[in-house]
């Protein structure tokens, strides 16, 4: 038992990956729609590419969504609305007229006016009084009278208070009534109350009952009947029949005992996809594979995208184009690199291809959009960069979908322009969400992006401000190196922001003993004069170790600590080694004077090593000229190459030559060299 626990402890990273792999597979399987996969892939307007298809069993022909929608609208319009008739309102209104009559008419008004008003009110209340009828309700209605007796009535025969003025003008047009029309209107407008009120509950129930009688199928196809022949174009009834067969096939397949095998099939496909991702990371991105937090981060984002897509399918299939899938490559690229982003994006789209309709169209559009995302999105710390990139991505979405649309439909119907609004909404969501998610992920997973690097590049940050106070010479040196490294990174297409920030912090370890480094020494006094060469070398070498400790204490990202760790590689502190050889050759061991390493393992860390060495050594140039600087840079970098300092850096000879060229140009600018004119 102890051996097993020891084995598990030693391999806990692998055990966690296995657990994560199983959990992610199960999570994605749970999010997949519960249904089998139809074994034929077809699209409207394209030829049937398989052999002649016969109906494998009896199945109904399902109506299309458009047909069902039209039928529902038609049925809804045929349902007569229900209105309640309240007979008691008439007596209340007549009583109100008696109470307020004197407020509207003088005593000299003939008594026949009041009699005429009462008679008129009784007549209209017998028909029914309503405020007004909605446009959709005009026509025949069901009138519910006392005892729940329902009778049909025409809205034309029911008095509408909104028509009161016209009604009074026509009713009281003779003397003596015509003289009091305005008074009568004011009175009745104030006291009339509707006694016909819509019964929303009955009306909705009637509509639901009518809709429940709608048939979602029309006719059946008998088993063995020829559905379509090879090469025939899929359109019209053929398309509807094939869709009906697909629905029946998938529902029957899942409901039968074979659903166990379907689950196994899904598990194998999902598991195989995730296994390919792990193999890619292990072989090509070892630093990511060895970091369980980063692997978890990638898997979590894949599950999140599957969740959003499956959720949109449940509500409306077209909503899949609103899901901002391009956020995935944006985020992965922000924290890792372009190749990893593309690999993760493609595998995620392959998984989604199992659950979306028209999978070829969907996969094609999303992969193209992902490629454009990876190509265009860069420098996320610049506000305009993301907007421009998302605009280009949205344009690609629109063009690609438009091409598929006209292929399948044969023309372009302007009535369907609203679909393109989904892609515009997709772009808007991407712009709004990308930066927010990057910030959240930075805090949750302890990752760092170019946005966080931009914050670290602020020379007013606490650590850099402390460096400028304790070791001003080192701070100035770091600024110069940062400028050189940034220019070199831009030249070869490396991460310029990362190179700059790494250069700013690479020498923070010198703050512990600033006066032991020449750039911080004032006057002719040198503390190394009182030390043995080996002690001096130890202090110089320890600035790397001190810098790493200081960086971890101040929560600097690992990517920045890598610059501190590698900026001297395994090079020799040659000055003190040579001094030791001259004074005590027997105790002159190279390992005592050599930096612990490791050597640079990225383009950016290699650039820093070159820039740092060249800038530091350039201070010894007394009369720099073009020729001197050229030989000087060549000598330093060639020596580093001879020592094998760049073997792990994935940098080419061509790129090193480009870096040399940039460093020479920058040094010429620093020393303000000019062309020497003849006298």
């Amino acid at each position: 038992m102890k051996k097993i626990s020891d084995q598990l402890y030693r391999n806990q990273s692998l055990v966690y990956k296995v657990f994560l792999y199983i959990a992610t597979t199960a999570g994605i399987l749970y999010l997949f729609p519960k249904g089998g996969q139809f074994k034929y892939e077809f699209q409207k307007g394209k030829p049937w590419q398989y052999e002649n298809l016969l109906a494998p069993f009896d199945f109904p022909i399902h109506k299309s969504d458009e047909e069902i929608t039209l039928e529902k609208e038609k049925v809804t319009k045929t349902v007569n609305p229900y209105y309640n008739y309240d007979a008691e309102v008439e007596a209340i209104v007549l009583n109100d007229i008696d109470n307020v009559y004197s407020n509207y008419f003088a005593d000299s008004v003939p008594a026949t006016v009041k009699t005429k008003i009462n008679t008129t009110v009784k007549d209209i209340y017998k028909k029914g009084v309503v405020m007004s009828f909605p446009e959709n309700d005009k026509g025949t209605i069901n009138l519910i009278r006392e005892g729940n007796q329902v009778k049909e009535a025409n809205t034309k025969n029911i008095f509408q208070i909104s028509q009161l003025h016209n009604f009074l003008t026509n009713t009281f047009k003779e003397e003596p009534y015509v003289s009091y029309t305005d008074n009568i209107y004011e009175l009745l407008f104030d006291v009339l109350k509707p006694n016909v009120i819509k019964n929303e509950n009955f009306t909705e129930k009637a509509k639901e009952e009518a809709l429940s009688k709608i048939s979602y199928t029309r006719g059946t196809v008998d088993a063995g009947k020829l559905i379509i022949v090879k090469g025939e174009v899929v359109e019209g009834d053929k398309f509807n029949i094939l869709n009906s067969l697909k629905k029946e096939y998938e529902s029957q397949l899942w409901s039968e005992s074979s659903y166990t095998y379907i689950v196994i099939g899904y598990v194998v496909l999902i598991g195989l996809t995730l296994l390919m991702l792990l193999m890619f990371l292990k072989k090509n991105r070892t630093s990511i594979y060895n970091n369980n937090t980063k692997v978890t981060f990638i898997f979590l984002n894949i599950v999140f995208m599957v969740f959003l897509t499956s959720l949109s399918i449940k509500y409306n299939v077209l909503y899949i184009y609103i899901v901002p899938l391009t956020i995935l490559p944006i985020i992965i690229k922000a924290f890792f690199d372009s190749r990893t982003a593309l690999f993760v994006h493609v595998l995620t789209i392959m998984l989604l291809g199992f659950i979306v309709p028209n999978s070829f169209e969907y996969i094609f559009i999303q992969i193209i959009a992902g490629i454009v995302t990876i190509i265009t999105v860069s420098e996320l710390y610049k506000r305009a960069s993301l907007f421009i990139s998302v605009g280009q991505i949205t344009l690609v979405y629109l063009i690609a979908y438009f091409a598929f649309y006209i292929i399948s439909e044969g023309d372009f119907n302007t009535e369907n322009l609203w679909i393109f609004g989904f892609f515009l909404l997709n772009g808007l969501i991407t712009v709004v969400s990308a930066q927010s998610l990057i910030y959240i992920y930075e805090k949750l997973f302890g990752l760092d992006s170019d946005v966080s690097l931009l914050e670290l590049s602020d020379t007013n940050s606490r650590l850099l401000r402390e460096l400028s106070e304790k070791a001003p010479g080192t701070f100035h040196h770091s600024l110069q190196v940062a400028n050189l490294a940034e220019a070199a990174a831009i030249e070869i297409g490396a991460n310029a922001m990362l190179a700059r920030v790494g250069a700013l912090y690479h020498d923070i370890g010198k703050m512990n003993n600033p006066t032991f480094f020449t750039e911080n020494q004032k006057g002719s006094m040198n503390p190394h004069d009182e030390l043995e060469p080996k002690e001096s070398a130890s202090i110089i070498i320890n600035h790397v170790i001190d810098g790493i400790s200081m960086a971890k204490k101040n929560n600097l990202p690992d990517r920045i600590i890598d610059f501190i760790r590698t900026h001297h590689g395994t090079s020799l502190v040659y000055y003190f080694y040579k001094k030791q050889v001259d004074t005590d050759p027997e105790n002159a061991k190279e390992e005592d004077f050599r930096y612990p390493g490791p050597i640079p393992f990225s383009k950016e860390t290699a650039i820093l090593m070159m820039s740092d060495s060249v800038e530091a050594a350039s201070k010894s140039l007394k009369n720099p000229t073009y020729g001197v600087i050229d030989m000087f840079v060549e000598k330093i970098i060639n020596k580093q190459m001879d020592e094998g300092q760049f073997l792990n850096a994935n940098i080419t000879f061509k790129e090193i030559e480009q870096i040399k060229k940039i460093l020479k140009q920058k040094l010429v600018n620093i020393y303000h060299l000019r062309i020497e004119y003849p006298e």
Side-chain angles (χ1 to χ4, degrees):
M1 188 68 183
K2 186 178 179 181
K3 289 183 178 180
I4 295 174
S5 61
D6 289 344
Q7 193 74 13
L8 288 173
Y9 181 78
R10 283 194 296 269
N11 296 285
Q12 57 182 320
S13 178
L14 180 60
V15 171
Y16 176 80
K17 286 185 180 67
V18 171
F19 171 77
L20 179 66
Y21 174 80
I22 294 172
T24 305
T25 302
I28 293 175
L29 177 65
Y30 177 77
L31 293 172
F32 271 22
K34 304 301 182 288
Q37 285 287 330
F38 190 51
K39 57 184 176 181
Y40 302 108
E41 186 76 24
F42 60 91
Q43 284 185 302
K44 187 177 181 181
K46 289 190 174 182
W48 179 257
Q49 298 177 347
Y50 308 95
E51 296 299 323
N52 298 351
L53 179 62
L54 302 177
F57 46 77
D58 295 341
F59 65 90
I61 302 173
H62 294 268
K63 295 176 182 176
S64 65
D65 293 338
E66 292 79 8
E67 289 176 316
I68 293 172
T69 301
L70 290 173
E71 197 166 336
K72 284 182 177 180
E73 290 177 357
K74 185 177 179 181
V75 167
T76 302
K77 290 179 181 178
T78 60
V79 174
N80 293 333
Y82 283 80
Y83 281 78
N84 291 329
Y85 178 88
D86 189 352
E88 296 179 0
V89 174
E90 178 185 342
I92 295 172
V93 171
L94 290 173
N95 184 60
D96 289 344
I97 291 174
D98 286 339
N99 292 334
V100 300
Y101 181 80
S102 59
N103 297 336
Y104 296 89
F105 297 94
D107 294 338
S108 58
V109 175
T112 55
V113 173
K114 183 177 181 182
T115 303
K116 178 70 172 177
I117 291 172
N118 288 337
T119 303
T120 302
V121 168
K122 289 177 182 179
D123 289 340
I124 63 175
Y125 270 103
K126 286 178 183 177
K127 297 177 183 179
V129 177
V130 68
M131 284 299 297
S132 63
F133 284 107
E135 194 63 35
N136 294 336
D137 290 357
K138 290 181 178 178
T140 304
I141 63 170
N142 292 313
L143 204 56
I144 305 174
R145 292 182 176 269
E146 294 180 7
N148 289 334
Q149 294 180 351
V150 180
K151 291 184 179 180
E152 288 189 353
N154 196 301
T155 55
K156 292 181 180 179
N157 300 326
I158 297 176
F159 181 77
Q160 299 183 52
I161 296 177
S162 58
Q163 301 171 349
L164 179 62
H165 191 273
N166 291 336
F167 172 77
L168 294 178
T169 302
N170 293 327
T171 304
F172 295 87
K173 57 185 178 182
E174 298 176 355
E175 289 294 346
Y177 313 112
V178 68
S179 302
Y180 305 104
T181 302
D182 292 339
N183 303 73
I184 296 170
Y185 174 75
E186 291 177 8
L187 169 64
L188 294 184
F189 184 81
D190 290 340
V191 300
L192 282 183
K193 298 180 180 65
N195 71 335
V196 173
I197 301 171
K198 190 171 184 178
N199 191 318
E200 297 286 356
N201 189 30
F202 269 42
T203 303
E204 286 303 314
K205 285 183 178 179
K207 288 181 180 179
E208 289 174 6
E209 184 179 353
L211 291 173
S212 66
K213 295 177 181 178
I214 293 177
S215 173
Y216 289 82
T217 62
R218 48 177 177 81
T220 58
V221 177
D222 298 328
K225 182 179 178 181
L226 179 66
I227 296 177
I228 194 168
V229 298
K230 185 176 182 179
E232 188 176 355
V233 177
V234 179
E235 58 184 356
D237 288 339
K238 300 289 184 183
F239 180 70
N240 290 335
I241 292 172
L242 285 171
N243 267 331
S244 301
L245 176 60
K246 181 179 179 180
K247 288 180 182 178
E248 290 296 320
Y249 183 87
E250 291 177 350
S251 61
Q252 288 188 23
L253 192 64
W254 191 260
S255 61
E256 295 172 0
S257 59
S258 58
Y259 76 92
T260 304
Y261 296 101
I262 295 173
V263 170
I264 293 172
Y266 273 139
V267 168
V268 170
L269 292 173
I270 297 169
L272 188 62
T273 305
L274 296 178
L275 183 61
M276 293 302 103
L277 176 57
L278 285 174
M279 290 176 65
F280 166 79
L281 294 177
K282 185 175 183 180
K283 184 174 178 61
N284 300 287
R285 297 294 182 270
T286 308
S287 60
I288 299 176
Y289 179 81
N290 291 333
N291 189 320
N292 284 336
T293 300
K294 293 179 179 179
V295 176
T296 304
F297 169 75
I298 293 173
F299 276 45
L300 181 66
N301 274 280
I302 293 174
V303 174
F304 182 57
M305 289 303 163
V306 174
F307 168 73
L308 289 180
T309 305
S310 60
L311 187 66
S312 66
I313 290 174
K314 289 181 181 179
Y315 288 96
N316 190 320
V317 171
L318 290 176
Y319 287 173
I320 59 175
Y321 292 113
I322 299 179
V323 178
L325 279 175
T326 51
I327 284 182
L328 182 61
I330 290 174
I331 289 174
I332 300 298
K333 184 181 178 182
F335 292 114
F336 305 117
D337 59 89
S338 299
R339 190 176 174 190
T340 304
L342 179 61
F343 202 87
V344 172
H345 180 69
V346 170
L347 289 182
T348 305
I349 299 304
M350 288 171 61
L351 286 173
L352 295 177
F354 294 132
I355 64 175
V356 297
N358 297 328
S359 56
F360 173 76
E361 172 188 313
Y362 180 83
I363 291 173
F364 181 90
I365 291 175
Q366 295 295 354
I367 288 180
I368 290 295
I371 292 172
V372 172
T373 302
I374 292 166
I375 292 172
T376 59
V377 172
S378 61
E379 299 178 327
L380 284 174
Y381 54 87
K382 294 182 179 178
R383 288 178 294 180
S385 177
L386 183 62
F387 282 93
I388 295 170
S389 298
V390 171
Q392 294 170 329
I393 295 164
T394 305
L395 181 62
V396 169
Y397 265 133
L398 295 173
I399 293 172
Y401 185 80
F402 174 76
F404 274 105
Y405 182 84
I406 59 177
I407 288 173
S408 60
E409 298 295 333
D411 62 358
F412 182 67
N413 189 350
T414 55
E415 293 180 0
N416 294 321
L417 282 175
W418 58 272
I419 297 177
F420 292 90
F422 286 171
F423 295 107
L424 298 176
L425 182 59
N426 184 312
L428 181 62
I429 295 173
T430 302
V431 169
V432 172
S433 305
Q435 293 284 15
S436 302
L437 283 174
I438 289 173
Y439 177 79
I440 292 169
Y441 284 142
E442 284 179 345
K443 302 306 177 185
L444 287 178
F445 292 92
L447 300 171
D448 56 283
S449 66
D450 284 353
V451 178
S452 57
L453 291 179
L454 178 64
E455 295 174 357
L456 289 171
S457 69
D458 183 7
T459 53
N460 285 317
S461 64
R462 189 182 63 80
L463 197 56
L464 291 180
R465 192 168 61 251
E466 186 180 353
L467 177 64
S468 68
E469 292 170 357
K470 291 183 177 180
T474 300
F475 177 72
H476 180 73
H477 159 72
S478 297
L479 289 176
Q480 293 281 45
V481 174
N483 293 333
L484 294 175
E486 183 177 27
I490 293 172
E491 180 68 18
I492 67 169
N495 190 328
M497 178 59 70
L498 178 61
R500 178 175 184 81
V501 177
L504 288 173
Y505 290 89
H506 79 283
D507 270 344
I508 57 173
K510 292 181 178 180
M511 280 192 285
N512 286 351
N513 296 291
T515 57
F516 284 85
F517 299 90
T518 56
E519 66 267 23
N520 299 310
Q521 293 171 0
K522 298 178 181 179
S524 59
M525 182 178 174
N526 188 339
H528 288 289
D529 294 340
E530 300 176 3
L531 300 176
E532 293 294 324
K534 191 181 293 186
E535 291 180 88
S536 295
S538 177
I539 293 173
I540 298 298
I541 291 171
N542 281 340
H543 90 271
V544 173
I545 299 168
D546 293 342
I548 294 170
S549 175
M550 201 174 295
K552 289 182 177 179
K553 191 179 295 183
N554 286 273
N555 297 316
L556 288 186
D558 289 339
R559 287 203 294 176
I560 303 305
I561 297 175
D562 289 339
F563 285 89
I564 301 172
R565 186 182 289 114
T566 63
H567 74 277
H568 285 296
T570 56
S571 60
L572 195 67
V573 185
Y574 186 75
Y575 177 84
F576 292 108
Y577 174 70
K578 184 71 169 58
K579 189 176 180 181
Q580 181 71 34
V581 170
D582 293 340
T583 57
D584 187 7
E586 292 183 2
N587 292 320
K589 297 178 182 179
E590 282 195 12
E591 57 266 26
D592 294 333
F593 295 86
R594 193 173 291 279
Y595 285 96
I599 60 176
F601 47 79
S602 67
K603 291 181 180 180
E604 290 79 13
T605 51
I607 288 171
L608 175 61
M609 173 178 274
M610 292 183 247
S611 303
D612 181 41
S613 302
V614 167
E615 202 284 330
S618 69
K619 297 295 189 293
S620 64
L621 296 176
K622 295 182 179 178
N623 296 305
T625 63
Y626 288 105
V628 169
I629 288 176
D630 184 81
M631 291 176 60
F632 166 77
V633 172
E634 290 287 342
K635 179 182 177 181
I636 290 177
I637 296 179
N638 287 343
K639 183 181 178 183
Q640 292 173 338
M641 293 172 64
D642 292 339
E643 292 177 352
Q645 298 294 333
F646 307 134
L647 291 178
N648 296 338
N650 190 29
I651 192 168
T652 65
F653 286 114
K654 180 182 178 181
E655 289 170 335
I656 292 175
E657 291 300 319
Q658 289 175 300
I659 293 170
K660 288 180 182 178
K661 178 183 174 183
I662 288 295
L663 294 178
K664 292 171 187 176
Q665 290 176 356
K666 290 294 180 180
L667 287 177
V668 167
N669 293 336
I670 290 172
Y671 288 105
H672 305 289
L673 297 182
R674 298 183 180 180
I675 298 173
E676 295 181 6
Y677 294 97
E679 294 182 1

